[in-house]
Amino acid sequence: VYWSLGKLMQGQLNSDIEPLTWAEKIYARGVDSVALMVGAASISKMTNVIAEIQNASAAFTEAKHRIETTVDAVKTNGDLASRVVESGMRTFRRKQALSIDPFVRGLLSPALARELSRCQRGPYLA
């Protein structure tokens, strides 16, 4: 394992430690393969999380833009416009926090879905 991970990380290796038998060489290559797969899976997961964050940010920006466009079309004063935008964005964030992914909702029984909704809404109803 020392030799395999040292080679993978391009670190300084003790030249006395290296796989000698076929079994040791196969084991070292197996450790290399597993390390590469774990690294690739980690990068894939991080990429998916970044994409989800960007999608959420885009939805937030789109909602804010639509509210601001509506407020501008009505020609309101600055104080009212800022209150409308702030209220709209607060409502948007609350609705996002209370929404259950439709895929997840489809996997739950109606009773469990209601219980999960009640649990999510608890802080807002107190």
Side-chain angles (χ1 to χ4, degrees):
V1 174
Y2 168 79
W3 179 85
S4 181
L5 292 177
K7 285 287 188 190
L8 185 67
M9 303 303 274
Q10 300 295 318
Q12 284 286 18
L13 293 175
N14 184 348
S15 60
D16 294 338
I17 300 174
E18 65 179 58
L20 299 176
T21 66
W22 280 104
E24 290 174 343
K25 290 178 182 179
I26 290 171
Y27 181 78
R29 295 298 174 228
V31 169
D32 287 345
S33 299
V34 168
L36 287 173
M37 285 189 283
V38 167
S42 298
I43 290 171
S44 174
K45 183 66 175 173
M46 285 185 276
T47 303
N48 290 340
V49 168
I50 290 170
E52 287 179 26
I53 291 170
Q54 287 175 338
N55 288 342
S57 177
F60 184 84
T61 303
E62 173 64 21
K64 186 173 183 179
H65 175 71
R66 290 175 69 179
I67 292 168
E68 288 172 343
T69 301
T70 302
V71 168
D72 288 344
V74 176
K75 306 268 192 252
T76 61
N77 64 29
D79 181 50
L80 177 60
S82 66
R83 288 186 312 175
V84 168
V85 170
E86 182 60 34
S87 175
M89 297 317 301
R90 193 171 38 251
T91 302
F92 178 81
R93 282 190 293 271
R94 187 175 64 245
K95 284 187 176 186
Q96 289 293 97
L98 294 177
S99 65
I100 299 173
D101 184 359
F103 175 77
V104 173
R105 184 178 287 280
L107 296 175
L108 300 176
S109 69
L112 277 176
R114 282 191 304 274
E115 189 173 339
L116 182 60
S117 292
R118 241 182 277 123
C119 183
Q120 280 183 314
R121 289 180 173 91
Y124 296 102
L125 297 176

